[in-house]
Amino acid sequence: MLKLVHVLSVAAVALSLATAALVAEGTHSAGSGQAEQPRVTFLRDVAPILNKVGCTAGACHGAAKGKNGFKLSLRGYDPQFDYEALLYDLAGRRFNRADPGRSLMLAKPSQEVAHGGGRRFAKDSDYYKTIYNWIAQGVPYGDPAKETVAELRAEPKEIFMTRPGETASLKVVVRYQDDQTRDVTRETTIESNVPDVASVESDTSVIRGERVGEATLLVRYQGTFGAIPVTVLNPKPGFAWKPLPQFNYIDRLVDAKLERLKIQPSPVTDDVTFFRRLSLDLTGRLPSPESVRALLDDPTPSRVKRAKTIDKLIASPEYVDHWTVKWGDLLQSSRKYLGEKGAYEFQQWIRDAIASNRPYDKLVRELLTARGSSYDNPAANYFRVTREARPAMEKTTQVFLGVRMVCAQCHDHPFERWTQNQYYQMSAFFSAVGIRAGYEVGEEIVFDRRAEYEMKHPKDGRVMKPQFMLASSVAPVPDGPQRRDALAEWLTSKDNPFFARAIANRMWSYFVGKGIIDPVDDIRASNPPSNPALLEALTKDFVAHGFDLRSLMRTIVSSRAYQASIVTNEWNANDRDNFSHAIPRRLSAEELMDGVSSAAGARARFPEVPEDTAASQLVDPHIGREGFLDVFGRPPRESSCECERRSDFSLPQALNLVNGRTISDAVADPNGRVARLVLSGKSDEAMVDELYLAALSRLPTQEERQRGVTYLSNAAKGSRAQDLLWALLNSQAFLYIY
């Protein structure tokens, strides 16, 4: 009965629309003295108005469940759905064909009838008149083959302001599928990602520079996007570029932008500061006092010493430990998903890949095409974490392409070109992945399903065939269960514009604290790179060297930009985006724990593992759970997002450092550094030097040495030496990478 009522209501609406169209046609041809109105369609004219005035916003009818019983697609991503909702919801009650002005679609947004969303446009506005004419003309939908937007062009392509307070205007023109063009500036949504640098005046296309800095404008119209960079220069007079040595192409590209922005970079830091920074970034460990002394005594020129140190650290076992932790985080190596043996086997597979410097493209292909026993082929553990097609796709695109597809699961991506169809087409690559129990305890087998593996669209149930996000020249996608082999081939191709770019950007962030695109796993048009030329050069270099991660790291840490001092000047003090100086970074949880152990000469003790196990050698985050490592931000490996690892500073952390047992037990260890120094009979001056070298990787200044000697000489030497080491371990100089 309900179906019959629905069919009758739809038929009534269709008849009413046809009648309205005939009436409108008769009115226009009767020579009533009014000029014939231009043709208005939903696609080209009405949908943009609904988006502009906020009807499709997430806070209004575009919400997941709509608003007040009426739902539209978020930001108008599905115009066909919106059109049908307007026409057929509640038997088309939003239109009055006999008298268009009394239609609820006009009366509510103009506030002639009570409207929870308030007034969206006035009765005498152009928007009102457009919708009025659309209703009078029979509410035509339009022709998608002609009236869908094909291209958006915004002018100017870049906004450059010489000082805060200047303004600029944008003009937005779109080209439709039929090659017709239209100025849509008024209906375009323009948003600034940093409003306190560049603001957009309400309901206009006027951009105002608020303060010195950089911002990006997201220009959005009917599912098409554009990004416009905005730069507001420092108006302070007297800037004169002073060239610094350039160690490789990174410095040339960084300097090119800095000079344009009137930002003077800082020079390189001293050798011992560089040595500590490099050791922590490449190995996660502090340099030993002996290695610092050797560096200070080495008469070799600084550039040569630094190059030798880079090669030595990259070849060290600690390098393997450190990067095993990084990739264990991203790949979610955890006994929660894999069991104890599975987590151990997966960690060993990651270690072997890093130790052998396996090419990155090969590493990723092995993960994506893995089959068989999770014990015999540990790469298969990659699928045991996600288990289902959609989570596997989301993880794969976020980790290896830097693209977050999750927003497209329910609707077209609101800030990017990815559609809901593409979400399920990409998920279809993993729909044939099956997992079953193995023969050993905890073992699982990853295999290819031979039946019932179709990926269906949730909206209409149609089977979604696997299809790449971007057009590709690789072989066609097979329709059978081995489709993920084709995905692995496409994803790791040197021609894939995302693959090498994403890891180059991620690696850069590990060494300077911020990605060229940041966050590193959210690459999209509305989040452009701060230095596009630099990212492009790093990507090309990485591909040219056969996807060699060590080569990429060596290039980054060899640059002057990486080796720059944290000391700023009057021109770069406020720069946080252009790599003009080093920015202090808090040690990670594992680095901090291993640093305390190294400085104090005592090993941390973890349950379930041998006594000599370092924090960077732990298999997964369940070891030492809820202890020091978790307090300082060790990720639980519940997701592959870089955001899981916290680098902030909090009150619980401060209390743990001051009152916790981790540091106090380490400095008081009867077999630790302080005890050995006291028993060795070394002078107070030698003890102070040793403690500074162990904790801060440098010798104390003359003033620091004198204060330390004075403190040690006034009471029990052992107790006071422990106090001195405790104070050094609680200092910012220890807790941060400088």
Side-chain angles (χ1 to χ4, degrees):
M1 182 64 182
L2 290 175
K3 289 184 178 180
L4 178 60
V5 170
H6 176 70
V7 170
L8 290 175
S9 66
V10 171
V13 169
L15 179 60
S16 177
L17 293 179
T19 303
L22 289 173
V23 170
E25 182 180 351
T27 301
H28 292 158
S29 62
S32 61
Q34 296 182 355
E36 183 172 342
Q37 298 297 327
R39 182 175 181 269
V40 181
T41 68
F42 182 80
L43 267 181
R44 193 178 298 225
D45 304 287
V46 177
I49 294 175
L50 300 181
N51 295 333
K52 180 64 177 179
V53 301
C55 299
T56 59
C60 197
H61 298 295
K65 296 182 179 180
K67 182 71 73 173
N68 294 331
F70 180 55
K71 176 174 172 52
L72 296 171
S73 64
L74 180 63
R75 302 183 187 234
Y77 81 92
D78 190 343
Q80 183 68 44
F81 173 87
D82 296 341
Y83 179 75
E84 292 179 0
L86 285 165
L87 262 65
Y88 303 135
D89 183 65
L90 298 178
R93 65 186 288 268
R94 291 175 178 83
F95 300 100
N96 187 323
R97 279 77 180 177
D99 186 353
R102 299 180 64 182
S103 299
L104 286 179
M105 189 178 175
L106 286 171
K108 282 199 169 188
S110 63
Q111 203 69 2
E112 292 182 87
V113 172
H115 181 221
R119 193 170 81 162
R120 312 313 299 174
F121 48 73
K123 190 172 181 179
D124 59 353
S125 67
D126 291 339
Y127 288 168
Y128 185 99
K129 295 173 184 176
T130 298
I131 297 176
Y132 183 100
N133 290 332
W134 176 61
I135 298 172
Q137 293 176 22
V139 292
Y141 180 69
D143 184 355
K146 296 180 179 179
E147 300 184 75
T148 302
V149 176
E151 180 187 11
L152 178 147
R153 295 192 295 266
E155 295 291 342
K157 298 185 185 306
E158 180 181 13
I159 296 176
F160 212 74
M161 299 179 180
T162 59
R163 64 182 64 246
E166 290 186 8
T167 60
S169 295
L170 277 182
K171 179 181 179 180
V172 183
V173 176
V174 296
R175 177 179 62 82
Y176 295 96
Q177 295 288 354
D178 61 1
D179 286 333
Q180 297 291 317
T181 60
R182 175 183 287 187
D183 185 334
V184 295
T185 306
R186 185 182 177 191
E187 287 71 48
T188 299
T189 299
I190 304 172
E191 299 172 330
S192 172
N193 69 335
V194 190
D196 62 336
V197 170
S199 62
V200 183
E201 293 187 6
S202 180
D203 296 325
T204 72
S205 59
V206 176
I207 316 303
R208 179 182 175 84
E210 301 292 347
R211 66 168 175 83
V212 175
E214 295 178 280
T216 299
L217 303 176
L218 172 61
V219 181
R220 183 177 69 249
Y221 180 82
Q222 292 302 95
T224 55
F225 302 88
I228 308 295
V230 181
T231 303
V232 184
L233 293 182
N234 186 348
K236 183 178 179 179
F239 176 81
W241 175 257
K242 299 174 183 177
L244 294 177
Q246 296 176 337
F247 297 167
N248 57 25
Y249 67 83
I250 289 176
D251 301 325
R252 291 194 297 274
L253 295 170
V254 168
D255 285 355
K257 185 175 182 187
L258 292 178
E259 184 175 7
R260 182 168 178 257
L261 299 182
K262 296 184 180 180
I263 298 175
Q264 179 64 38
S266 299
V268 296
T269 192
D270 59 85
D271 284 345
V272 290
T273 302
F274 168 75
F275 188 21
R276 181 179 187 271
R277 181 190 301 174
L278 183 73
S279 183
L280 286 166
D281 282 340
L282 282 178
T283 70
R285 307 288 184 91
L286 289 174
S288 67
E290 296 75 22
S291 62
V292 177
R293 288 186 184 276
L295 183 78
L296 291 171
D297 295 338
D298 188 350
T300 307
S302 179
R303 287 280 301 279
V304 177
K305 281 196 293 188
R306 296 185 184 204
K308 288 167 54 179
T309 303
I310 292 168
D311 290 339
K312 180 180 179 180
L313 291 175
I314 285 180
S316 68
E318 291 78 13
Y319 166 89
V320 179
D321 292 339
H322 181 61
W323 293 97
T324 298
V325 171
K326 294 278 192 185
W327 283 103
D329 291 346
L330 291 176
L331 300 178
Q332 297 174 267
S333 178
S334 169
R335 68 182 66 182
K336 174 180 178 179
Y337 305 109
L338 312 177
E340 187 171 351
K341 184 176 180 179
Y344 175 80
E345 294 289 353
F346 199 26
Q347 186 208 37
Q348 285 301 116
W349 182 87
I350 295 171
R351 286 185 63 85
D352 291 343
I354 294 169
S356 63
N357 195 30
R358 192 171 302 162
Y360 180 64
D361 60 331
K362 182 179 179 182
L363 181 151
V364 176
R365 277 199 301 273
E366 288 183 20
L367 288 169
L368 296 183
T369 61
R371 296 170 173 85
S373 165
S374 58
Y375 293 165
D376 297 337
N377 182 16
N381 284 290
Y382 178 78
F383 293 103
R384 296 181 66 200
V385 176
T386 52
R387 307 195 73 83
E388 296 180 359
R390 288 180 291 178
M393 185 278 294
E394 292 173 7
K395 176 178 177 179
T396 298
T397 52
Q398 184 166 352
V399 173
F400 302 127
L401 301 179
V403 175
R404 298 180 183 179
M405 290 290 288
V406 64
C407 287
Q409 179 175 1
C410 302
H411 50 73
D412 290 359
H413 199 298
F415 305 115
E416 200 28 290
R417 55 183 161 177
W418 315 124
T419 66
Q420 188 181 24
N421 283 345
Q422 286 179 304
Y423 177 94
Y424 290 97
Q425 288 167 347
M426 285 292 291
S427 297
F429 282 106
F430 299 98
S431 61
V433 176
I435 301 175
R436 63 173 176 82
Y439 299 103
E440 297 186 43
V441 175
E443 179 190 31
E444 289 190 309
I445 309 297
V446 175
F447 65 99
D448 293 322
R449 300 177 188 270
R450 296 184 179 275
E452 298 182 354
Y453 55 79
E454 293 86 0
M455 172 60 60
K456 295 183 178 180
H457 199 292
K459 187 178 293 185
D460 51 22
R462 70 184 186 278
V463 174
M464 304 299 291
K465 298 295 184 182
Q467 187 171 319
F468 302 127
M469 293 162 59
L470 300 169
S472 174
S473 59
V474 301
V477 181
D479 197 35
Q482 295 185 331
R483 51 184 62 176
R484 60 189 162 109
D485 295 277
L487 175 70
E489 186 68 22
W490 167 80
L491 188 141
T492 61
S493 168
K494 62 182 178 59
D495 298 321
N496 187 321
F498 288 97
F499 180 62
R501 187 171 183 242
I503 190 62
N505 182 59
R506 193 185 291 269
M507 283 296 164
W508 176 268
S509 76
Y510 289 152
F511 291 99
V512 301
K514 184 173 186 176
I516 303 171
I517 298 174
D518 201 74
V520 297
D521 49 12
D522 191 15
I523 297 176
R524 48 186 163 83
S526 55
N527 185 30
S530 59
N531 192 325
L534 173 60
L535 182 54
E536 182 67 18
L538 285 170
T539 302
K540 287 184 177 179
D541 188 29
F542 180 54
V543 174
H545 283 83
F547 297 93
D548 186 336
L549 287 172
R550 290 190 185 184
S551 175
L552 178 62
M553 295 180 194
R554 188 178 288 107
T555 299
I556 293 172
V557 299
S558 297
S559 68
R560 189 207 71 230
Y562 170 76
Q563 300 180 24
S565 170
I566 66 166
V567 180
T568 60
N569 55 58
E570 61 179 318
W571 303 104
N572 71 354
N574 295 321
D575 176 45
R576 292 293 183 271
D577 302 314
N578 296 291
F579 320 115
S580 61
H581 60 91
I583 297 177
R585 293 170 279 133
R586 205 209 75 194
L587 271 63
S588 71
E590 293 86 353
E591 291 167 353
L592 194 54
M593 174 68 89
D594 288 339
V596 169
S597 300
S598 173
R603 280 288 188 182
R605 291 175 174 82
F606 301 101
E608 309 175 37
V609 296
E611 288 188 3
D612 61 346
T613 303
S616 58
Q617 295 172 330
L618 299 178
V619 174
D620 79 341
H622 289 265
I623 300 175
R625 192 173 183 180
E626 297 182 359
F628 183 91
L629 293 173
D630 289 350
V631 170
F632 282 88
R634 176 177 62 173
R637 295 182 177 175
E638 299 285 344
S639 79
S640 293
C641 182
E642 288 283 358
C643 58
E644 259 205 345
R645 179 174 288 277
R646 303 191 325 274
S647 59
D648 58 343
F649 221 111
S650 64
L651 180 59
Q653 292 170 353
L655 293 174
N656 192 290
L657 291 172
V658 174
N659 299 319
R661 295 186 57 183
T662 300
I663 290 183
S664 61
D665 287 356
V667 300
D669 191 304
N671 298 312
R673 188 178 302 277
V674 170
R676 293 197 302 269
L677 285 172
V678 172
L679 293 175
S680 70
K682 287 189 176 183
S683 67
D684 292 350
E685 185 174 284
M687 289 181 64
V688 172
D689 285 356
E690 182 77 7
L691 293 178
Y692 267 84
L693 285 170
L696 307 186
S697 307
R698 65 170 176 83
L699 287 168
T701 65
Q702 189 59 40
E703 182 182 359
E704 289 170 337
R705 183 180 289 116
Q706 185 57 50
R707 287 183 177 180
V709 169
T710 301
Y711 185 74
L712 293 182
S713 63
N714 285 339
K717 198 178 299 294
S719 176
R720 292 237 164 173
Q722 290 178 11
D723 290 346
L724 176 57
L725 179 56
W726 179 91
L728 293 175
L729 296 180
N730 273 278
S731 68
Q732 287 189 347
F734 173 77
L735 299 172
Y736 284 82
I737 299 174
Y738 287 99

